[in-house]
Amino acid sequence: MQYEAGNYDVIVIGAGHAGCEAGLAAARLGANTLMLTINLDMVAFMPCNPSVGGPAKGIVVREIDALGGEMGKNIDKTYIQMRMLNTGKGPAVRALRAQADKYMYQHEMKKTLENQPNLTLVQGMVEQLIVEDNTVKGVITKTGATYTAKTVVVTTGTYLRGEIILGELKYSSGPNNQQPSIRLSEHLQELGFDLVRFKTGTPPRVNSHSIDYSKTEIQPGDDVPRAFSYETTKYITEQLPCWLTYTNETTHQIIDDNLHRSPMYSGMIKGTGPRYCPSIEDKVVRFNDKPRHQIFLEPEGKNTQEVYVQGLSTSLPEDVQQEILRTIPGLENVQMMRAGYAIEYDAIVPTQLWPTLETKKIKNLYTAGQINGTSGYEEAAGQGLMAGINAGLNATGKEELILSRSDAYIGVLIDDLVTKGTNEPYRLLTSRAEYRLLLRHDNADLRLTEIGNDIGLIQEERYKMFTDKKKQIEQEQNRLKEIILKPNEQVQTVIREQGGSELKDGIKAADLLRRPEMNYKHIQLLAPSDIALSEEVTEQVEIQIKYEGYIEKSLQQVDRLKKMENKKIPENIDYDAISSLATEAKQKLKTVRPLSLAQASRISGVNPADISILLVYLEQGRIARV
């Protein structure tokens, strides 16, 4: 029996990584927000690797923080190891990665949600949306509770019609044997949404006491303080190491001998899995020339003996998993505490979304996270933040926010999803970003804090610190561009020690800094600043001066793109009336319904000739007569 349970501005369905960011963002924007989750004990749960960050993904976490989101702050409070990756490479590919204490991460996020003003957290399974005149009005739970709202955000992760597959065993379940959401998936189809079936998986977990670490290689965290959040001032000093070992030919032979029992190869698994995170059986088959594969042993927390066997994701039967584990150096006598498994789930085709993450079919309904076809906590959180921001802005009568591809990796992620779609679980990679030199770990605040402040997610004190930092960077750059260093003994000695060519004439400090062998510390020796500058400021000064030419070229490309982005395509355009367009282009344009010429140019199947025809059509003003 249904009953009226409450009225809100925003309702968020789900409390995973997307749901947490969505609920917090909406509430912090002043919207009265309700979060509904199947199980309150699973808030911010990490069903796969308990880690945050890595290439591209780590930059997303920094962007979430720069906009006023929570993931960076939460991992900074709960990590057991933190490392900066790719430190030997250029700044565009550096990224932070942290191993999380799985249970502390959940606990801290739940505490944050419970203490957030304007946010109500309730356990309940949503089975149906209330839709009138193609506009969402609320939700109905399994117990009959009816909640009404101005906007709704669906962040159901891998729970939609979830099925766990382990060897010959297959059963209905969400991740980690939680209740699946079956009726809501059916309801979305009834509303006319196209769904696809995707698959992901996890490796086994083993008991740390049963590992012989002497046969593995230690992987310690960095010995310098690191943080994702720009607000973090306290750093965790007691870190736990991870450990590296490898599979071998015996491991691979056991997998080959049991492929007939693998759900992936028997036909039991129907969903499409992530190409960039393959199972161990897939790796052995696809890369059969490789004698070994890396296996990382990663602790799941300070107060548990469970260790995550990274690199051994599998859905092979339990007995085979145990046999495989014991062929790996250090794991000869290992005790498997949980078997790995695959999970299949429903996702919506993301081309059914606007760049705001509002659905095209149902007004005021947003989706975010793995329901949109992505993989990874960071991709989910980035979408959740944007969906929560837009649902909150919409509910309070304000203009919504769209990040461009040149603004953030989050902009790349969402644009890829809504413009190109995906035929497999989407993973963010640095190679997906054409402006990756601009989208760096170190400058997320310079790119996005202004935006976060404008919409109301950045507090005044933090914004003042940001503007002070920005001013110091500019002043120091200008100072180094004005100071002339003469070829005296001190200058020549510093240059010689770094293996550089001695000066023949005076040189601007900024020009000397551009030399590959020189860094800011060398310049500081020769031309010290009158004021103490933070490492964040000096890092920006060095990067912006050293890479000035490359950055300028990227900015010129962005300016050219913006001209196309500013060429808007009206919603009422009739592509069938443009006779010169190719048939495939018409079909794709009608499906995606791009908002600008730039977005149209990124649609697969729409070629440059089609864009030229569309541009002429728009410029002739014929749209007014359509």
Side-chain angles (χ1 to χ4, degrees), residues 112-338:
T112 300
L113 294 171
E114 289 172 341
N115 292 323
Q116 175 62 48
N118 298 325
L119 185 61
T120 304
L121 185 61
V122 172
Q123 183 166 294
M125 182 186 287
V126 173
E127 293 199 327
Q128 192 173 334
L129 303 174
I130 302 168
V131 178
E132 298 172 8
D133 299 323
N134 290 327
T135 303
V136 72
K137 299 291 185 180
V139 303
I140 302 170
T141 70
K142 192 171 187 176
T143 57
T146 300
Y147 298 94
T148 54
K150 296 173 183 174
T151 58
V152 173
V153 186
V154 183
T155 68
T156 46
T158 59
Y159 283 79
L160 283 185
R161 232 162 33 92
E163 289 183 306
I164 281 180
I165 302 140
L166 174 55
E168 294 87 6
L169 179 65
K170 184 173 187 177
Y171 57 94
S172 181
S173 175
N176 205 43
N177 291 321
Q178 292 299 303
Q179 284 188 78
S181 177
I182 296 171
R183 177 68 193 112
L184 182 58
S185 186
E186 294 169 347
H187 180 62
L188 289 172
Q189 284 184 303
E190 291 164 4
L191 290 171
F193 287 101
D194 293 328
L195 303 184
V196 289
R197 196 79 173 151
F198 280 167
K199 167 239 147 188
T200 188
T202 71
R205 272 70 158 181
V206 298
N207 191 318
S208 181
H209 289 316
S210 64
I211 297 172
D212 183 354
Y213 288 108
S214 68
K215 296 182 179 179
T216 67
E217 301 169 31
I218 192 167
Q219 305 284 302
D222 289 348
D223 56 6
V224 296
R226 305 277 192 197
F228 278 100
S229 175
Y230 289 93
E231 292 189 37
T232 295
T233 54
K234 293 182 181 178
Y235 301 92
I236 294 169
T237 53
E238 293 181 22
Q239 299 190 53
L240 298 182
C242 296
W243 306 83
L244 174 64
T245 184
Y246 296 89
T247 63
N248 51 56
E249 291 181 0
T250 306
T251 316
H252 301 178
Q253 189 59 56
I254 291 170
I255 291 168
D256 282 332
D257 291 345
N258 286 279
L259 281 179
H260 64 286
R261 299 182 66 193
S262 165
M264 284 188 62
Y265 292 92
S266 69
M268 184 181 287
I269 289 177
K270 307 294 184 187
T272 306
R275 189 190 328 175
Y276 300 103
C277 188
S279 65
I280 187 62
E281 50 266 46
D282 202 19
K283 283 192 276 191
V284 168
V285 170
R286 286 166 54 192
F287 308 107
N288 57 18
D289 57 318
K290 290 190 178 293
R292 66 180 192 172
H293 295 284
Q294 286 185 330
I295 301 293
F296 289 96
L297 304 175
E298 300 174 333
E300 295 218 321
K302 291 180 179 177
N303 299 309
T304 177
Q305 292 303 312
E306 283 192 75
V307 173
Y308 183 92
V309 187
Q310 165 80 317
L312 207 72
S313 179
T314 184
S315 56
L316 281 161
E318 202 169 291
D319 60 304
V320 180
Q321 291 188 36
Q322 185 73 70
E323 194 178 354
I324 288 168
L325 284 167
R326 291 186 171 173
T327 66
I328 296 170
L331 306 183
E332 293 88 350
N333 299 303
V334 80
Q335 177 201 344
M336 185 169 71
M337 296 178 73
R338 303 187 202 220

Side-chain angles (χ1 to χ4, degrees), residues 452-470:
N453 181 67
D454 288 345
I455 61 175
L457 287 181
I458 298 294
Q459 293 180 349
E460 189 177 335
E461 184 182 349
R462 176 172 174 178
Y463 187 64
K464 186 181 184 306
M465 289 173 62
F466 163 73
T467 54
D468 288 346
K469 172 185 171 180
K470 198 173 172 184

